[in-house]
Amino acid sequence: MAHMTVSAQKYPERFVKLGSHETYFEYKNGALYISPKEQLKPYPQKLTDRLLEHAAAHPDRVFAAKRDAQGEWIKLTYAETANRAWRIAQALKNRAHLSTERPIVILSGNDLEHLTLSMGAMLAGIPFSAISPAYSLISKDFGKLKHIFDTLTPGLVFANDGDAFASAIQSCLNNDDIEIITNSGRLGEQDCTAFASLLDSEIKDIKAHYATIDEHQIAKFLFTSGSTKMPKAVPTTHLMLCTNQQMLLQTFPEFEETPPILVDWLAWHHTFGGSHNVGIALYNGGTIYIDDGKPVPGKMDETIRNLKEISPTVYLNVPKGWEEITEALEHDAELRDKFFAKVKVLFFAGAALSEAGWNRLDKIAQDHCGERIRIMSGLGMTETAPSCVFTTGPKVMAGFIGYPAPGCEVKLTPYGDKLEFCVRGKNVMKHYWRLPADQQADIFDEEGFYRTGDAVQLVDPNDPSQGLMYDGRIAEDFKLNTGTFVNVGTLRNKVLITGNQLIQDVCITGSNLSAIGFLIFPKINACAEYAGLDLQHSNAKEILAHPKVQQWFKQFLLDFNKDATGSSNTVPMLYLMTEAPQLDAGETTDKGNLNQSGILKRRAALVQELYEKNVNNPLIIRIPTLKA
């Protein structure tokens, strides 16, 4: 998770109870240690203990819901979910070949079958792994999916749609005893196991077996995004999940008093959606409405439809999603009424949010509610299940990530001119799964702190109690040929915040070169609209070469450099990309995050062209008065 942007407090805030942000800190051997004063309270041994507790305490409360093909909500209560999960668990236990060494792979997206299968797997003590559907449905060579199969050696594969996933599954099968399960009982033209058959299992010895499972059992494998290399498997234990959810509960004690209601599209193969958000609902006896919408063209209408029916108490999204929601809230009074009816917390994660985007959302909330609604974010990662720090306390500002949650120790270690964010706690993994030892040597430091690769800085260098600011990724930084150090994270965040209108993303160039440059990935649709062009009758190059678009990017570059001092943050040139970053080429992760090194390698010729002085290319924009 990454940072957010908020404006200064000017109005009353809708009341929400938050945990303490008080910390201890100590300087030792050049590092700064920060730990919360509040201790972690008791937590269950296994995450599914919460499912069983809530099924007994309030059996008729809805745990999860999803629309069917006719648009009607199909709802599962806690009691129904537990009953289905027990039956699935018995069916899985009966399959003797399934184990930690031969886990379950789930290829399709968020749905009730996925949810109950994952609950059943945890009851059976058999790890599952939810995999990005993009690796099956968008990828052409299935390279990352094959790598995942090789890493996990699954014994069972589930996909809801046997036709859509047939090619991907068949390309990866290298073992005859891998069982395939689909909703229809068909995989393309072949027969396979039907999901419904799992629910017919008679419950026998599974409950006694569940009692023998301890907190160190791997609940699931989550894969990293693979932004720099192939995805790595993170063994996520019940201990990691339970302690992290207890950290969340102590950060948001509101959840205990008001069981959270979520309307959520975030993918379960990511730690934000699958561990953080599903966990919030499950751990606190809340309800999650599975949203089939997404903040992409053609999918946002479904999210709006759902939010007009269901009022969330906490709403969690990535900045792109917030941009789309904000646009809809501005123009739809019915949506405003429903959305703001119960919500007490708005949560951002995954990327930077522009100041302009925050101000728009803040204004809508104030105009509609007459008060500010608390906005939260923090920093976390797959390896920490996922949360480490949260923006508790009174401070709200761009880039602020806050303070360590109860149970999480933070160590800030000097790395060049940056501070690396290192963490230790029961929520942190022990190692990557089946990764060669020589590739794991530097994952933890000598004191057992996980080295995240994220950089942070103190809000006030003289007062650590003021909290932490996000400072980009250490591995992405580089030096110019003058020896000047370039902070890629800071530059990228500034581009996304100031150029949000027409810029989707950016890759920073300049390693061992004379100056910094930008490979800009524009919002082609927004550029066409800005130029007044018909998107259907104009290609990307024509749109980007339009005089109005050209002038916008020239002005952007001028404005970007207004306050620049020195070559480490002065950018005299940019190159407008007509091709979006490609998943199969290793330029982007399934989340859409850029792989800087992958882009620079694949587009090396374009980088070279950017630095040639006399190239006449309308896609390259320079500021002549600045040295390149």
Side-chain angles (χ1 to χ4, degrees):
M1 286 184 277
H3 63 273
M4 56 166 230
T5 305
V6 292
S7 59
Q9 292 263 16
K10 296 178 183 177
Y11 299 91
E13 183 177 285
R14 181 176 294 200
F15 176 76
V16 57
K17 185 184 291 186
L18 295 174
S20 171
H21 65 280
E22 295 184 348
T23 58
Y24 298 106
F25 56 89
E26 176 187 11
Y27 286 96
K28 186 172 62 176
N29 299 325
L32 173 61
Y33 297 78
I34 307 174
S35 58
K37 290 185 177 181
E38 183 179 356
Q39 298 297 305
L40 192 65
K41 296 177 182 178
Y43 48 86
Q45 186 181 43
K46 295 166 291 229
L47 186 63
T48 32
D49 289 350
R50 286 296 211 203
L51 172 64
L52 305 181
E53 290 170 15
H54 296 313
H58 31 257
D60 297 328
R61 182 182 297 171
V62 174
F63 171 37
K66 189 176 188 295
R67 292 189 191 274
D68 62 14
Q70 288 72 45
E72 298 298 321
W73 287 107
I74 304 299
K75 300 178 179 180
L76 285 182
T77 66
Y78 274 92
E80 290 169 335
T81 305
N83 180 59
R84 292 189 186 193
W86 278 126
R87 293 180 181 278
I88 291 171
Q90 184 69 62
L92 297 176
K93 182 179 180 294
N94 294 344
R95 289 157 164 81
H97 69 290
L98 296 180
S99 67
T100 300
E101 304 297 321
R102 299 291 309 282
I104 297 164
V105 164
I106 301 174
L107 296 184
S108 45
N110 306 1
D111 57 34
L112 298 178
E113 291 81 11
H114 182 153
L115 183 68
T116 51
L117 177 57
S118 66
M119 295 293 110
M122 285 193 275
L123 291 176
I126 299 167
F128 70 95
S129 185
I131 307 302
S132 169
Y135 294 164
S136 298
L137 303 181
I138 297 177
S139 175
K140 303 302 181 186
D141 62 9
F142 308 120
K144 289 187 176 180
L145 188 61
K146 291 175 182 176
H147 163 75
I148 287 168
F149 270 61
D150 289 343
T151 301
L152 292 182
T153 59
L156 185 152
V157 176
F158 169 75
N160 56 10
D161 188 333
D163 291 327
F165 287 87
S167 295
I169 293 173
Q170 289 164 351
S171 73
C172 294
L173 292 181
N174 54 14
N175 192 330
D176 291 338
D177 69 347
I178 298 179
E179 183 179 8
I180 309 301
I181 298 180
T182 66
N183 286 348
S184 66
R186 300 280 293 174
L187 182 71
E189 300 300 318
Q190 303 173 5
D191 289 329
C192 65
T193 304
F195 180 82
S197 67
L198 300 179
L199 301 175
D200 295 333
S201 301
E202 181 182 349
I203 298 174
K204 295 180 179 179
D205 58 348
I206 187 60
K207 294 185 179 181
H209 173 71
Y210 178 67
T212 69
I213 299 170
D214 67 19
E215 66 271 24
H216 301 295
Q217 170 64 46
I218 298 171
K220 61 180 175 179
F221 294 103
L222 278 168
F223 278 83
T224 62
S225 60
S227 59
T228 56
K229 298 178 180 177
M230 277 294 187
K232 297 188 289 289
V234 175
T236 306
T237 64
H238 282 282
L239 179 64
M240 292 167 63
L241 293 170
C242 289
T243 54
N244 205 258
Q245 283 300 321
Q246 185 60 36
M247 291 176 187
L248 273 159
L249 177 55
Q250 288 177 233
T251 301
F252 300 94
E254 184 79 24
F255 293 162
E256 195 165 32
E257 298 182 9
T258 307
I261 298 173
L262 281 68
V263 180
D264 193 49
W265 67 269
L266 290 157
W268 293 347
H269 60 272
H270 292 150
T271 191
F272 187 16
S275 295
H276 188 274
N277 294 2
V278 173
I280 284 174
L282 176 60
Y283 199 82
N284 301 289
T287 303
I288 183 167
Y289 288 86
I290 301 170
D291 176 16
D292 272 340
K294 287 184 180 180
V296 296
K299 289 281 191 176
M300 200 61 203
D301 287 349
E302 180 64 16
T303 293
I304 302 306
R305 174 194 185 191
N306 293 332
L307 288 173
K308 283 186 176 181
E309 290 189 26
I310 310 297
S311 295
T313 61
V314 54
Y315 193 70
L316 309 103
N317 215 325
V318 294
K320 175 60 177 172
W322 278 109
E323 288 179 17
E324 299 292 339
I325 290 291
T326 301
E327 180 77 20
L329 286 168
E330 285 178 332
H331 298 98
D332 194 326
E334 181 186 355
L335 176 64
R336 290 195 295 273
D337 288 339
K338 198 71 176 181
F339 182 80
F340 289 118
K342 299 178 180 179
V343 70
K344 289 189 175 183
V345 177
L346 308 178
F347 194 96
F348 294 85
L353 178 71
S354 70
E355 185 75 25
W358 160 253
N359 287 337
R360 289 173 66 193
L361 178 62
D362 189 43
K363 184 178 187 303
I364 296 167
Q366 291 173 23
D367 289 348
H368 188 80
C369 305
E371 57 185 332
R372 182 180 301 280
I373 295 177
R374 180 74 186 200
I375 296 178
M376 302 287 293
S377 190
L379 185 65
M381 56 234 44
T382 307
E383 292 86 347
T384 61
S387 305
C388 300
V389 296
F390 288 104
T391 53
T392 48
K395 192 177 298 296
V396 283
M397 58 190 293
F400 185 58
I401 58 171
Y403 307 87
C408 183
E409 299 174 83
V410 170
K411 177 182 178 182
L412 305 185
T413 304
Y415 190 101
D417 63 350
K418 287 196 170 189
L419 293 173
E420 183 175 15
F421 180 80
C422 305
V423 293
R424 185 170 66 182
K426 293 180 180 180
N427 61 313
V428 181
M429 70 168 191
K430 298 296 184 185
H431 55 79
Y432 292 109
W433 184 250
R434 292 176 175 169
L435 188 69
D438 63 325
Q439 297 180 39
Q440 306 217 45
D442 296 328
I443 294 172
F444 297 92
D445 71 9
E446 67 283 355
E447 294 182 293
F449 282 85
Y450 170 62
R451 301 180 60 188
T452 68
D454 285 307
V456 300
Q457 56 184 301
L458 297 173
V459 171
D460 182 345
N462 299 313
D463 184 6
S465 69
Q466 295 298 308
L468 303 174
M469 302 282 289
Y470 188 68
D471 197 27
R473 292 284 296 171
I474 286 174
E476 293 176 342
D477 294 342
F478 59 82
K479 289 183 179 180
L480 300 173
N481 61 11
T482 59
T484 301
F485 192 81
V486 176
N487 186 326
V488 169
T490 300
L491 284 174
R492 180 175 178 274
N493 287 340
K494 184 178 177 183
V495 171
L496 297 183
I497 289 170
T498 60
N500 178 64
Q501 182 182 357
L502 298 186
I503 295 175
Q504 187 67 50
D505 218 323
V506 60
C507 176
I508 315 296
T509 70
S511 178
N512 297 317
L513 296 170
S514 59
I516 302 168
F518 291 154
L519 302 186
I520 297 285
F521 294 95
K523 297 177 179 178
I524 299 296
N525 289 15
C527 289
E529 183 178 349
Y530 183 78
L533 296 175
D534 183 349
L535 188 63
Q536 293 183 341
H537 297 93
S538 305
N539 61 39
K541 187 170 183 179
E542 291 170 342
I543 293 169
L544 298 176
H546 190 278
K548 286 190 68 175
V549 175
Q550 292 271 300
Q551 182 55 42
W552 188 94
F553 278 101
K554 287 177 183 176
Q555 190 59 49
F556 160 77
L557 209 50
L558 287 167
D559 292 342
F560 187 92
N561 286 286
K562 275 182 180 177
D563 302 320
T565 55
S567 59
S568 65
N569 52 19
T570 298
V571 184
M573 55 195 169
L574 62 81
Y575 200 140
L576 299 174
M577 300 287 100
T578 57
E579 179 194 46
Q582 301 298 300
L583 176 68
D584 278 348
E587 293 187 321
T588 182
T589 71
D590 65 294
K591 289 191 290 188
N593 294 336
L594 294 191
N595 174 2
Q596 290 267 140
S597 61
I599 290 171
L600 294 174
K601 181 178 180 180
R602 182 169 180 260
R603 305 189 189 219
L606 300 184
V607 175
Q608 182 178 348
E609 186 180 3
L610 178 63
Y611 284 81
E612 291 175 357
K613 303 294 184 183
N614 300 316
V615 172
N616 184 17
N617 182 343
L619 299 177
I620 294 177
I621 294 174
R622 305 178 190 276
I623 302 179
T625 56
L626 293 177
K627 292 184 178 181

